[in-house]
Amino acid sequence: MALNFYNSAFPAQRQVKLTSGSNKCHQNVKNLVSRVGVPSISCSPDESLQKGNWVKLICGASFEDVVDIRNLSLVYTLAGVDCIDCAADASVVSAVNEGIEAAREIVPLRRPWVMVSVNDDEDLHFRKAEFDPENCPLDCPRPCENVCPASAILFEKEKSIAEVFYRANQTGEQKSGVITERCYGCGRCFPVCPYDKIGMVTYVRDTAATAELLRRDDVDAVEIHTSARQIKPFRELWDGLDDSITYLRLVAVSLPNIGDETVSSMNSMYSVMQPCLSCFNLWQLDGRPMSGDIGQGATRQSIEFAVHLASAKYRPPGFLQLAGGTNAHTVDGLKRKGLFQTCEPKQKHSIIGGIAYGGYARKIIGRILSSLQPQHGFACIEDYPDHLLEALGEAIALVGTVKSYHSS
């Protein structure tokens, strides 16, 4: 099988077709997947939501590194995730699907749903860092490089594979600064710059382009990021998506905890969606955005949000799913609150449908991806069986906290 997607942002001579390692031996990978019980435990994504063992991989609403996205999707498909959430960009969606299919060539698992993320207004997840490296003083210690979790800031002297691949212009000249495709807008670089040289560029995804994506047969779900404080931009986006919603299996709304107004806002948004909602709906409880890789305590806000909504009266229909700061400690936190795979009285489905992992999920696999030695700037992880096995072990350890896989 060959990858047939291209990133339109790359220079023409760098649009190299990626080839997979389907002829390589992956018996150890197959054995691991079988031993922990991924095929036997896996069920359809909607069943996972009802059981409370739904797991979503968040590639990032602004993360557009198609090579990493492709490899992350491959690894986490093998680990048994139910959904892969990515930027609403055609090349990114293709990268996710290529990764899924490459995984299914190794082990014939069921296909996870593919979700695209959009925003109805300015949102932390939809921004990019920006600065001119020519304005950086020579004696600057460059703390921005060290603090960036995506390795999205590089300077000319580095000459790394990522820099060569993403920042070389058509004459081969090396450039420094922010690798736009890798930056997902976490904002950690912004406050550490000693000279205040770093800015943020925010954007809103084009509604018409998003609607076209939703009509593709390899997109299953949409997630709308909203501040939950104003209904007008939400209504405008929903109306703009028009009949594309009817093509979907799931509609998710990602919102922050706005206290006592949260449930009222959710009901207002549901009243907008309900007349033409013909699929499942989900509320993503965004605790502490883009922070799961920071440390154990980052998950507290998402758990507190879940506790708040689980006890709220008159909340609208829809599954609840945690995000924002989620990591390897999230399940234990839910268990302590009595909310892990616990059903409500007179309800057949779990109060909390599942958990989405973003920064933490990318971090534990990213260190392995960064150790690959690709040719032509591309690296298909299945061409490196030992690396794939290591990455899969990390992914299964995380997904398994929710799925309750067999101990290997």
Side-chain angles (χ1 to χ4, degrees), residues 163-284:
E163 182 180 9
V164 170
F165 184 54
Y166 289 106
R167 300 302 295 178
N169 64 19
Q170 295 192 19
T171 65
E173 177 187 354
Q174 301 300 319
K175 292 186 176 182
S176 302
V178 177
I179 302 173
T180 304
E181 292 83 4
R182 291 193 63 81
C183 176
Y184 60 84
C186 71
R188 297 178 206 175
C189 61
F190 186 73
V192 302
C193 178
Y195 298 99
D196 295 325
K197 299 289 186 182
I198 302 176
M200 288 287 169
V201 178
T202 61
Y203 62 95
V204 177
R205 289 285 182 187
D206 181 74
T207 304
T210 299
E212 284 303 308
L213 273 180
L214 299 186
R215 294 185 179 98
R216 287 174 50 156
D217 59 8
D218 56 359
V219 174
D220 306 281
V222 67
E223 182 165 272
I224 300 173
H225 289 253
T226 181
S227 69
R229 296 186 181 279
Q230 298 183 44
I231 194 65
K232 182 180 177 182
F234 183 88
R235 185 189 302 275
E236 290 175 348
L237 172 57
W238 183 261
D239 290 345
L241 293 176
D242 198 28
D243 72 330
S244 65
I245 297 297
T246 63
Y247 289 74
L248 302 178
R249 299 170 183 264
L250 177 71
V251 171
V253 176
S254 180
L255 71 161
N257 188 349
I258 56 173
D260 293 339
E261 298 177 17
T262 303
V263 172
S264 174
S265 178
M266 290 169 65
N267 277 299
S268 294
M269 289 186 283
Y270 186 77
S271 69
V272 171
M273 297 189 294
Q274 196 274 331
C276 52
L277 189 65
S278 58
C279 61
F280 295 105
N281 76 295
L282 177 151
W283 304 98
Q284 176 166 284

Side-chain angles (χ1 to χ4, degrees), residues 109-178:
L109 298 168
R110 65 102 171 92
R111 177 182 176 275
W113 287 348
V114 175
M115 172 185 285
V116 298
S117 279
V118 296
N119 53 326
D120 65 1
D121 205 345
E122 287 191 7
D123 185 278
L124 294 176
H125 302 84
F126 296 82
R127 62 182 186 175
K128 301 278 188 179
E130 181 181 69
F131 70 92
D132 184 351
E134 297 296 324
N135 293 332
C136 295
L138 294 176
D139 62 348
C140 180
R142 297 172 180 170
C144 57
E145 283 186 283
N146 295 326
V147 79
C148 179
S151 300
I153 297 178
L154 295 169
F155 286 86
E156 191 172 355
K157 67 176 183 179
E158 303 264 330
K159 307 293 186 189
S160 72
I161 289 169
E163 182 180 9
V164 170
F165 184 54
Y166 289 106
R167 300 302 295 178
N169 64 19
Q170 295 192 19
T171 65
E173 177 187 354
Q174 301 300 319
K175 292 186 176 182
S176 302
V178 177

